[in-house]
Amino acid sequence: MIAGLNVIADNLDYLLWGRAAAGEPGGVLLSLMMAFGAALFALPGGIALACLAWRFSGIVRKALFLWAELIRGIPLIFVIFWMWYLLPLITGSDLPGALTVTLALAWFTAASVMHSVLAGLRALPSGQYEAALSQGFSTRQTLWRVLLPQTLRNILPSLVGIFISLLKDTSLAFIVNVPELTTVAGQVNNRVQIYPAAIFIFTGVVYYLLCCSLEQFAKRWRFKRPAPLPE
C-alpha cells in the first residue's frame, strides 16, 4: 500500500498537469480546461436554442427537438469519434485532439441545456408573459429581461448536474489518446505495471473531489444571492 502511494507521489505532477511546463497541459489541468471550454460553448448555445424553440413553433421547434433527441440518444463516445474524423474533412486540417473533444462535449451538452432551459421556460406562469407585453415589453425583451432570469435561477440544480456530468465525460477523451486525467493515469499504470488499484483509486477520488467541489460552489453561490424584495 505504501509503495502504491509512493508511485502516486512520484508521478503526482504528471497526473495533475501533465507536461504543462513544455506547453502540453495534461492530467487534471487538461480535464478542467476541456470541461470549462465545453461549458463556455454549451451554456450560451443551449440557451439560444431553447429560446428559438420557445419563440418559434412549427418546423423550427420540431427540427430543434429532432436534433436534441438525436444527440441525446447517441452515446457520447460516438459523437467524439464523429468529431475526430469529420472535423478534419470539413476544415481541411487536423485539429488538436483536446479541441476536438471539447467541441464534441459542447455539442452533446448543449442539447441537454436546451431541454432544461425550455422546460424551465414552460414551467413559468403564462400570466408573466402577458403582463410584460401589457407593460409595453416586446416579446424579445420579455424573454431576456423577465422570463430567462427566473428560468436560469429555477433550473440551477439541473444545470449543475449537467456540468458535473460534463466534467466526468472528459474522461472519454482517452479513446482518442488526449492526455487528460484518465489517459495519463493509464500511461502511469502501463509504465509501472504493479499498482493499478492505487493509481485508479486515486483517479476516482480526484474526479469525486472535483465534482463535489463544483456542487458545493454552486450551492454557496445560490444561497449567497440576495433574496428578492417582497412585493
Side-chain angles (χ1 to χ4, degrees):
M1 184 65 181
I2 299 300
L5 294 176
N6 288 337
V7 169
I8 294 172
D10 293 341
N11 295 276
L12 186 60
D13 57 341
Y14 186 59
L15 291 167
L16 291 180
W17 47 76
R19 299 187 178 93
E24 299 177 5
V28 176
L29 176 60
L30 185 57
S31 295
L32 292 173
M33 289 173 63
M34 290 194 299
F36 184 72
L40 284 180
F41 285 109
L43 182 60
I47 292 173
L49 292 174
C51 292
L52 286 175
W54 177 85
R55 179 67 179 84
F56 301 102
S57 59
I59 190 170
V60 174
R61 182 177 300 172
K62 290 179 180 178
L64 289 173
F65 271 115
L66 179 62
W67 169 81
E69 291 301 323
L70 176 65
I71 296 302
R72 295 176 66 185
I74 297 173
L76 176 56
I77 193 170
F78 284 102
V79 177
I80 294 175
F81 272 131
W82 289 349
M83 288 287 193
W84 184 262
Y85 292 111
L86 290 178
L87 283 180
L89 295 177
I90 296 172
T91 61
S93 61
D94 292 332
L95 297 177
L99 177 59
T100 301
V101 174
T102 299
L103 293 175
L105 291 169
W107 190 32
F108 190 85
T109 305
S112 297
V113 173
M114 188 196 85
H115 265 277
S116 184
V117 173
L118 187 57
L121 286 171
R122 288 177 167 177
L124 294 176
S126 59
Q128 293 196 19
Y129 175 70
E130 297 165 359
L133 291 180
S134 68
Q135 293 296 317
F137 285 88
S138 66
T139 299
R140 188 163 146 193
Q141 290 173 324
T142 301
L143 179 60
W144 287 99
R145 296 185 181 182
V146 179
L147 303 182
L148 261 184
Q150 297 180 75
T151 297
L152 294 178
R153 183 170 60 250
N154 293 339
I155 67 169
L156 181 60
S158 176
L159 292 178
V160 171
I162 290 172
F163 291 120
I164 286 176
S165 295
L166 170 61
L167 179 57
K168 292 188 290 186
D169 286 341
T170 59
S171 62
L172 291 176
F174 84 93
I175 63 172
V176 288
N177 206 33
V178 172
E180 45 71 54
L181 176 57
T182 303
T183 304
V184 299
Q187 292 172 353
V188 171
N189 179 61
N190 292 337
R191 185 169 66 246
V192 178
Q193 293 186 344
I194 300 176
Y195 307 105
I199 293 170
F200 288 109
I201 287 174
F202 170 80
T203 304
V205 169
V206 171
Y207 277 114
Y208 171 79
L209 292 176
L210 291 174
C211 295
C212 185
S213 298
L214 177 59
E215 181 181 9
Q216 293 302 316
F217 173 78
K219 287 181 178 179
R220 287 177 178 272
W221 178 80
R222 185 181 186 189
F223 289 130
K224 283 183 178 181
R225 296 186 65 185
L229 294 174
E231 297 181 358

